[in-house]
Amino acid sequence: MSAPNKSYDPVEVEALKPEEIERMRDEALAAFESAADLDALTHAKTAHTGPTSPLSLANREIGALPPQAKAEAGKRVGMARGAVNKALAARLAVLEAERDERVLVEEAVDVTLPYDRTPAGARHPLTTFMERVADVFVAMGYEVAEGPEAEAEWFNFDALNFVPDHPARQMQDTFFVQDADGAKSDESGVVLRTHTSPVQARALLERREPPVYVVCPGRVYRTDELDATHTPVFHQIELLAVDEGLTMADLKGTLDHMVQALFGAGMKTRLRPNYFPFTEPSAEMDMVCYVCRGESVGNPDRPCRTCGSEGWIELGGCGMVNPKVLVACGVDPQKYSGFAFGFGIERMLMFRHNVEDMRDMVEGDVRFTRPFGMEI
Ligand code: PHE
């Protein structure tokens, strides 16, 4: 007995039996109906209409059938696939509509909520701190004085007894705006002031007769690269007192008062000999470390990051006004004496508030400024 002739016996093709086709169709419809979201529907679509789905595989079998059987099977499979595609499209429409509705609810924005039309900025801590320092002196009767940032070389150097070849005049420290050769014969060159001390000379010349008590906060410039501890533009506060009978004891008392006003009761300063052309004698002033108050010195169990366990923090320079400066500014050094000091605000702000990188102060990011609070 020979085997049945498959090409003439469509019933032999299992996948094309009417009940098989119906089962495939119903399975597909059930899968679409039970797809809970669009992802699930995509999977069901691949499984029931993709190239390896049962209906697609059955469709491929049709070609091998005799003409009559081919037409019947083709119709059956075609109708089943049509029903499947229709059900898929219907379910897709439902799920998409559901998704759109959900998105509208979930991503809704309440446009009636009040909002900040002009977000409040914050005053930069350098500004508020400079004002606070100046206030300490204003409370003692000092006046706030200002001078130009593009300053005559004469005020920045000559009047302050810097000899012409003083190293601070050199290019590596000073930004020259116009050198003396380029100026008219009776004019000084112009520099970006390298310190606030030229305001000393300006104050003396403007006021003519002492007593002169001025405090000068301001921006100064030096040719430094911007890094964690340097910036080419920074701030200083200068103090100048010229009167009859002022001594170094007045200077020391004034410094002690300032650090107590800024850092708390019991703070002290110390002076170490130094040299500045415009003060004589000159000193470097330190304040006791306001964090460890000196207790970290020789005490390895209690190291202090703020002062590096030195016990002291360097603030700046000071001294008695050099009589040569008084003379250059028309003040009689026989009758008057004075003291002056100057220090950098950035440095002071850094150790007062544990700011580790100078660049944070320069970048102007309001997120740096806000934690310092609003001081008006
Ligand atoms: N101007 C000096 C500096 O920038 C500091 C100073 C000011 C020193 C006043 C003495 C008196 O380094």
Side-chain angles (χ1 to χ4, degrees):
M1 244 182 30
S2 61
N5 185 343
K6 285 189 183 162
S7 45
Y8 288 96
D9 188 359
V11 178
E12 282 291 305
V13 181
E14 187 69 20
L16 290 174
K17 286 183 182 165
E19 58 278 19
E20 264 306 291
I21 300 292
E22 259 170 47
R23 188 185 59 77
M24 292 173 196
R25 181 197 65 197
D26 292 347
E27 268 176 18
L29 300 192
F32 296 158
E33 205 46 50
S34 65
D37 56 32
L38 287 166
D39 277 349
L41 188 62
T42 306
H43 282 115
K45 177 183 172 188
T46 311
H48 295 282
T49 68
T52 56
S53 64
L55 276 172
S56 297
L57 294 178
N59 197 43
R60 278 196 226 153
E61 304 279 340
I62 296 173
L65 297 176
Q68 179 59 28
K70 193 190 260 181
E72 277 172 25
K75 200 172 159 199
R76 256 196 322 271
V77 173
M79 275 173 66
R81 293 177 100 193
V84 166
N85 284 333
K86 208 171 141 201
L88 175 65
R91 185 70 186 144
L92 186 66
V94 169
L95 289 177
E96 277 180 350
E98 267 176 33
R99 187 229 17 227
D100 291 351
E101 217 163 288
R102 195 176 54 245
V103 164
L104 277 180
V105 174
E106 281 171 5
E107 297 179 10
V109 175
D110 183 353
V111 292
T112 66
L113 279 178
Y115 75 102
D116 211 350
R117 276 171 208 270
T118 45
R123 299 187 76 211
H124 198 280
L126 282 172
T127 312
T128 45
F129 189 55
M130 267 196 315
E131 286 178 6
R132 190 183 263 227
V133 179
D135 281 352
V136 171
F137 295 106
V138 168
M140 288 193 274
Y142 283 74
E143 261 176 69
V144 177
E146 281 179 345
E149 289 170 22
E151 179 60 286
E153 219 176 323
W154 188 85
F155 278 112
N156 197 77
F157 293 126
D158 301 80
L160 300 175
N161 192 36
F162 281 85
V163 288
D165 59 353
H166 192 283
R169 292 199 192 214
Q170 295 312 303
M171 280 297 190
Q172 61 264 35
D173 285 318
T174 309
F175 284 112
F176 287 88
V177 177
Q178 183 184 64
D179 62 24
D181 299 340
K184 293 195 203 104
S185 59
D186 59 343
E187 277 178 7
S188 157
V190 177
V191 298
L192 293 182
R193 67 180 176 190
T194 57
H195 51 175
T196 41
S197 298
V199 184
Q200 291 187 27
R202 286 184 172 273
L204 289 175
L205 285 165
E206 273 163 26
R207 297 293 301 264
R208 286 168 224 281
E209 261 322 286
V212 172
Y213 288 88
V214 290
V215 57
C216 168
R219 202 174 285 149
V220 301
Y221 302 81
R222 287 183 201 172
T223 54
D224 284 324
E225 295 286 335
L226 179 64
D227 64 23
T229 53
H230 295 88
T231 150
V233 186
F234 57 104
H235 297 77
Q236 286 189 334
I237 276 218
E238 189 87 11
L239 195 90
L240 171 73
V242 177
D243 205 341
E244 284 181 48
L246 290 181
T247 70
M248 216 138 173
D250 297 304
L251 167 62
K252 181 78 167 73
T254 308
L255 288 173
D256 282 347
H257 174 75
M258 175 184 77
V259 294
Q260 282 163 22
L262 294 174
F263 292 90
M267 300 302 297
K268 304 184 291 190
T269 57
R270 75 171 179 189
L271 302 181
R272 289 176 289 122
N274 195 9
Y275 171 78
F276 295 103
F278 41 98
T279 45
E280 185 58 38
S282 302
E284 204 67 47
M285 52 171 169
D286 300 340
M287 63 177 262
V288 79
C289 174
Y290 81 108
V291 174
C292 73
R293 308 235 166 182
E295 276 171 29
S296 64
V297 184
N299 190 352
D301 298 337
R302 287 197 50 197
C304 178
R305 275 173 53 204
T306 305
C307 64
S309 299
E310 296 276 326
W312 294 94
I313 297 170
E314 193 179 307
L315 281 190
C318 64
M320 299 306 290
V321 179
N322 192 321
K324 287 186 182 166
V325 173
L326 295 178
V327 170
C329 298
V331 175
D332 180 1
Q334 301 299 324
K335 191 168 173 202
Y336 297 108
S337 59
F339 62 80
F341 65 77
F343 56 80
I345 296 291
E346 276 79 355
R347 247 182 66 76
M348 207 189 236
L349 199 67
M350 279 176 99
F351 63 72
R352 196 169 185 265
H353 295 278
N354 294 322
V355 179
E356 275 171 11
D357 197 321
M358 188 89 95
R359 285 167 289 202
D360 289 339
M361 293 191 210
V362 181
E363 279 163 359
D365 189 329
V366 78
R367 287 170 299 181
F368 169 76
T369 303
R370 283 219 178 95
F372 287 88
M374 274 309 255
E375 248 178 62
I376 310 288

